[in-house]
Amino acid sequence: MNSFLGKKRKLGAELNPLFAVENNYSFLSRTDQSRMSQVCSRWSKDIGSPYLWKTMKFYLPEHYHSSEIYPEVKFACQHASMFRHVEIICKRVRTHLKSVIWKQLKLFLKAITDSSQFSSLKFINIGFYFHNLNSIIRKDLFKTIITFFISQKNLKTVVFQGSRFSKEEGLKLLRAILHSESNTIRHLTLRGFINENSSTVGNKYKSDLLEVCGRIANIESLEVDYAQTFEDVINCLYEKFCYSDYQFNKNKPSMSSLIIHCEDTRQSISRGILPRTWKYLKKVCPDLKVKMDVTIHNNLNREMGKFLVSKIPLQTLDFRFEKLLSSNADIRNLFTYFENCKYQDHLKILNVLWMPFVSEFESSLIPFVQTCKKLQTLHLHAQSTPIGIENILKAFLENSPASMKSITIWICQLQEEEDEDSFRALSEEYYPLFTAQGIDCFLIVDPRQRRQRQEQNVITT
């Protein structure tokens, strides 16, 4: 009966003229919505529906407009009280429109500053625009953004992608986002947030750092790039707790999810985050789970040692070594290093992409995996087929962690003497055996190789 009534209500909603108009509006840009609202008085009234204004995407202007105030800004002035999720997006920058963008963006920010009911705010690629500004306009816009964040009382999610602020700007902005002890931020994403090559920092950076580091531990979910500023915040947090009278407020939520993106092309890290710091962070945030996305292009041992140290409560690791020709890199050393760092104590998901030639990793992979009592997913992406792959499958079949749910071995290129049919037969033989144990096991050959072989066969025939 309840199911019938639910379907009846849904059908009634779909037949409702307002629902139909709202549905049509949802597929249009704000400019086209404005045009549609001018067709008749009914459609003009319907554009005021809260459903349409729950999410607002403001794209930095790419063209001149006949009116002094752009339609999107007018909408913000009229309907900002209905916004819950706002995205400010820069797709590209027209140099001749710099002053126009400045004016419209500032008006938009001022329009939404008077409303404090927002749940989330995203800035996407605004660094493209800020990079082209003179110091006067840049400071003016930055001040407007700061004012907006200080005015907010209910924000839960803040995302910055590709903003490229200076170090001092970035810390000042974080201070505004986390502007009070009662801040409501629960999810914070900072990707490309700071230009690590920006000028040296002064005392203001250090004072902002002290204020930010104490509050960032209360954010439930944090996603960042591994860069100097992130390192400064974590190390400052450790020093503040260990060497001062500062007490962590246990009545507030503590960080439970930390996602770190690491790449060796970024500016070198001076101090690193030491094992003792990770150990203390885990003590302060007992539910902390860390996911690391590590990409290394050169000098495996040096760069790996910067990011991956012991005592990290590492639950998910995506590891990529992308140097195709590297005579000194041995994948066996990789798994030995993981074991020495004690990652098997927490690891649930392990994805490894390894581009150099692989001779054999059975001797290090199997012992490491068998000690990972919580491991659920293992994905290995290798350039070539390792020796003894059937022995690896047998070992996993006979003694996998009880938690294991999925194993994937993806091969980019088969050895010349190997036959793809025999590789497929091996996969078909072991798949049902693993399935009987509740494990999905896949052996995959890169489809691009299959196409290349087919093309070669056509040429030879």
Side-chain angles (χ1 to χ4, degrees), residues 18 21-22 25 36-50 52-53 79 82:
L18 176 58
V21 175
E22 287 179 346
Y25 268 128
M36 181 174 169
S37 69
Q38 297 172 15
V39 172
C40 63
S41 59
R42 174 62 188 271
W43 287 7
S44 177
K45 179 181 178 181
D46 290 344
I47 200 173
S49 167
L52 292 178
W53 299 104
H79 304 294
M82 290 186 279

Short mmCIF file of all heavy atoms in Angstrom, two decimals, residues 18 21-22 25 36-50 52-53 79 82:
data_model
loop_
_atom_site.label_atom_id
_atom_site.label_comp_id
_atom_site.label_asym_id
_atom_site.label_seq_id
_atom_site.Cartn_x
_atom_site.Cartn_y
_atom_site.Cartn_z
N LEU A 18 4.07 22.75 -12.70
CA LEU A 18 5.25 23.36 -12.10
C LEU A 18 6.44 22.41 -12.18
O LEU A 18 7.56 22.83 -12.48
CB LEU A 18 4.97 23.74 -10.64
CG LEU A 18 6.17 24.30 -9.84
CD1 LEU A 18 6.70 25.55 -10.52
CD2 LEU A 18 5.78 24.59 -8.41
N VAL A 21 7.86 22.46 -15.72
CA VAL A 21 8.62 23.68 -16.00
C VAL A 21 9.96 23.65 -15.28
O VAL A 21 11.01 23.98 -15.85
CB VAL A 21 7.81 24.93 -15.61
CG1 VAL A 21 8.65 26.19 -15.78
CG2 VAL A 21 6.55 25.03 -16.45
N GLU A 22 9.94 23.24 -14.00
CA GLU A 22 11.18 23.14 -13.24
C GLU A 22 12.15 22.17 -13.90
O GLU A 22 13.36 22.41 -13.95
CB GLU A 22 10.88 22.69 -11.81
CG GLU A 22 10.24 23.75 -10.94
CD GLU A 22 9.94 23.22 -9.54
OE1 GLU A 22 9.99 21.98 -9.36
OE2 GLU A 22 9.67 24.03 -8.65
N TYR A 25 13.68 23.86 -16.87
CA TYR A 25 14.64 24.86 -16.42
C TYR A 25 15.97 24.23 -16.01
O TYR A 25 17.04 24.80 -16.22
CB TYR A 25 14.08 25.63 -15.22
CG TYR A 25 13.31 26.89 -15.57
CD1 TYR A 25 12.02 27.11 -15.08
CD2 TYR A 25 13.90 27.88 -16.35
CE1 TYR A 25 11.33 28.27 -15.38
CE2 TYR A 25 13.21 29.04 -16.65
CZ TYR A 25 11.92 29.24 -16.16
OH TYR A 25 11.24 30.39 -16.46
N MET A 36 13.95 32.12 -20.99
CA MET A 36 12.73 31.32 -20.88
C MET A 36 11.74 32.00 -19.95
O MET A 36 10.51 31.97 -20.19
CB MET A 36 13.10 29.93 -20.34
CG MET A 36 11.91 28.98 -20.20
SD MET A 36 12.44 27.31 -19.72
CE MET A 36 10.84 26.58 -19.32
N SER A 37 12.23 32.66 -18.90
CA SER A 37 11.34 33.31 -17.94
C SER A 37 10.59 34.49 -18.53
O SER A 37 9.60 34.96 -17.97
CB SER A 37 12.13 33.76 -16.71
OG SER A 37 13.00 34.84 -17.04
N GLN A 38 11.06 34.99 -19.69
CA GLN A 38 10.43 36.15 -20.32
C GLN A 38 9.35 35.76 -21.32
O GLN A 38 8.71 36.62 -21.92
CB GLN A 38 11.51 36.98 -21.02
CG GLN A 38 12.54 37.56 -20.07
CD GLN A 38 13.71 38.21 -20.78
OE1 GLN A 38 13.64 38.49 -21.98
NE2 GLN A 38 14.80 38.45 -20.06
N VAL A 39 9.13 34.44 -21.49
CA VAL A 39 8.14 33.98 -22.46
C VAL A 39 6.72 34.32 -22.01
O VAL A 39 5.89 34.78 -22.80
CB VAL A 39 8.29 32.46 -22.70
CG1 VAL A 39 7.14 31.91 -23.55
CG2 VAL A 39 9.63 32.16 -23.36
N CYS A 40 6.43 34.04 -20.73
CA CYS A 40 5.08 34.32 -20.23
C CYS A 40 5.15 34.56 -18.73
O CYS A 40 6.16 34.27 -18.07
CB CYS A 40 4.11 33.17 -20.54
SG CYS A 40 4.56 31.61 -19.72
N SER A 41 4.07 35.07 -18.16
CA SER A 41 4.04 35.41 -16.73
C SER A 41 4.15 34.16 -15.86
O SER A 41 4.74 34.21 -14.78
CB SER A 41 2.75 36.17 -16.41
OG SER A 41 1.61 35.38 -16.74
N ARG A 42 3.57 33.05 -16.33
CA ARG A 42 3.65 31.79 -15.54
C ARG A 42 5.09 31.32 -15.42
O ARG A 42 5.55 30.96 -14.34
CB ARG A 42 2.79 30.72 -16.22
CG ARG A 42 2.90 29.33 -15.58
CD ARG A 42 2.43 29.35 -14.12
NE ARG A 42 2.69 28.10 -13.46
CZ ARG A 42 1.83 27.06 -13.45
NH1 ARG A 42 0.66 27.19 -14.09
NH2 ARG A 42 2.13 25.97 -12.82
N TRP A 43 5.82 31.32 -16.52
CA TRP A 43 7.20 30.87 -16.49
C TRP A 43 8.08 31.86 -15.72
O TRP A 43 9.05 31.48 -15.09
CB TRP A 43 7.73 30.69 -17.91
CG TRP A 43 7.15 29.47 -18.59
CD1 TRP A 43 6.18 28.65 -18.10
CD2 TRP A 43 7.52 28.94 -19.85
NE1 TRP A 43 5.91 27.64 -18.99
CE2 TRP A 43 6.73 27.80 -20.08
CE3 TRP A 43 8.43 29.33 -20.82
CZ2 TRP A 43 6.82 27.04 -21.24
CZ3 TRP A 43 8.53 28.58 -21.98
CH2 TRP A 43 7.73 27.43 -22.19
N SER A 44 7.70 33.14 -15.78
CA SER A 44 8.43 34.15 -15.01
C SER A 44 8.27 33.90 -13.52
O SER A 44 9.21 34.08 -12.73
CB SER A 44 7.92 35.54 -15.37
OG SER A 44 8.57 36.52 -14.61
N LYS A 45 7.08 33.46 -13.11
CA LYS A 45 6.82 33.16 -11.71
C LYS A 45 7.55 31.88 -11.28
O LYS A 45 8.11 31.80 -10.19
CB LYS A 45 5.32 33.01 -11.49
CG LYS A 45 4.94 32.68 -10.06
CD LYS A 45 3.42 32.54 -9.93
CE LYS A 45 3.05 32.16 -8.48
NZ LYS A 45 1.57 31.99 -8.35
N ASP A 46 7.56 30.88 -12.17
CA ASP A 46 8.14 29.57 -11.83
C ASP A 46 9.65 29.63 -11.65
O ASP A 46 10.23 28.77 -10.97
CB ASP A 46 7.82 28.54 -12.92
CG ASP A 46 6.34 28.17 -12.92
OD1 ASP A 46 5.66 28.46 -11.91
OD2 ASP A 46 5.86 27.61 -13.93
N ILE A 47 10.30 30.63 -12.24
CA ILE A 47 11.76 30.69 -12.10
C ILE A 47 12.17 31.02 -10.66
O ILE A 47 13.33 30.86 -10.28
CB ILE A 47 12.36 31.73 -13.07
CG1 ILE A 47 13.86 31.44 -13.27
CG2 ILE A 47 12.14 33.15 -12.57
CD1 ILE A 47 14.51 32.29 -14.33
N GLY A 48 11.20 31.44 -9.86
CA GLY A 48 11.48 31.70 -8.45
C GLY A 48 11.38 30.47 -7.57
O GLY A 48 11.50 30.58 -6.34
N SER A 49 11.21 29.28 -8.15
CA SER A 49 11.09 28.06 -7.37
C SER A 49 12.40 27.75 -6.64
O SER A 49 13.48 27.76 -7.25
CB SER A 49 10.72 26.89 -8.29
OG SER A 49 10.89 25.65 -7.62
N PRO A 50 12.35 27.43 -5.34
CA PRO A 50 13.58 27.09 -4.60
C PRO A 50 14.34 25.92 -5.21
O PRO A 50 15.56 25.84 -5.08
CB PRO A 50 13.05 26.75 -3.20
CG PRO A 50 11.75 27.46 -3.09
CD PRO A 50 11.17 27.45 -4.48
N LEU A 52 15.05 25.33 -8.23
CA LEU A 52 15.98 25.78 -9.27
C LEU A 52 17.21 26.45 -8.71
O LEU A 52 18.25 26.51 -9.37
CB LEU A 52 15.27 26.74 -10.22
CG LEU A 52 14.18 26.15 -11.10
CD1 LEU A 52 13.55 27.24 -11.94
CD2 LEU A 52 14.73 25.06 -12.00
N TRP A 53 17.12 26.95 -7.51
CA TRP A 53 18.19 27.78 -6.97
C TRP A 53 18.96 27.11 -5.84
O TRP A 53 19.80 27.73 -5.20
CB TRP A 53 17.61 29.12 -6.49
CG TRP A 53 16.98 29.85 -7.62
CD1 TRP A 53 15.66 29.98 -7.88
CD2 TRP A 53 17.66 30.50 -8.69
NE1 TRP A 53 15.46 30.67 -9.04
CE2 TRP A 53 16.68 31.01 -9.56
CE3 TRP A 53 19.00 30.71 -9.01
CZ2 TRP A 53 16.98 31.71 -10.71
CZ3 TRP A 53 19.32 31.40 -10.16
CH2 TRP A 53 18.32 31.89 -10.99
N HIS A 79 17.79 35.89 -5.67
CA HIS A 79 17.48 34.54 -5.18
C HIS A 79 18.56 33.94 -4.27
O HIS A 79 18.51 32.75 -3.97
CB HIS A 79 17.27 33.60 -6.37
CG HIS A 79 16.20 34.04 -7.33
ND1 HIS A 79 14.88 34.10 -6.97
CD2 HIS A 79 16.28 34.47 -8.62
CE1 HIS A 79 14.16 34.53 -8.01
NE2 HIS A 79 14.99 34.76 -9.02
N MET A 82 17.92 31.42 -1.50
CA MET A 82 17.53 30.03 -1.79
C MET A 82 18.74 29.15 -2.13
O MET A 82 18.62 27.94 -2.23
CB MET A 82 16.53 29.99 -2.95
CG MET A 82 15.17 30.55 -2.59
SD MET A 82 13.95 30.34 -3.90
CE MET A 82 14.36 31.73 -4.96
#
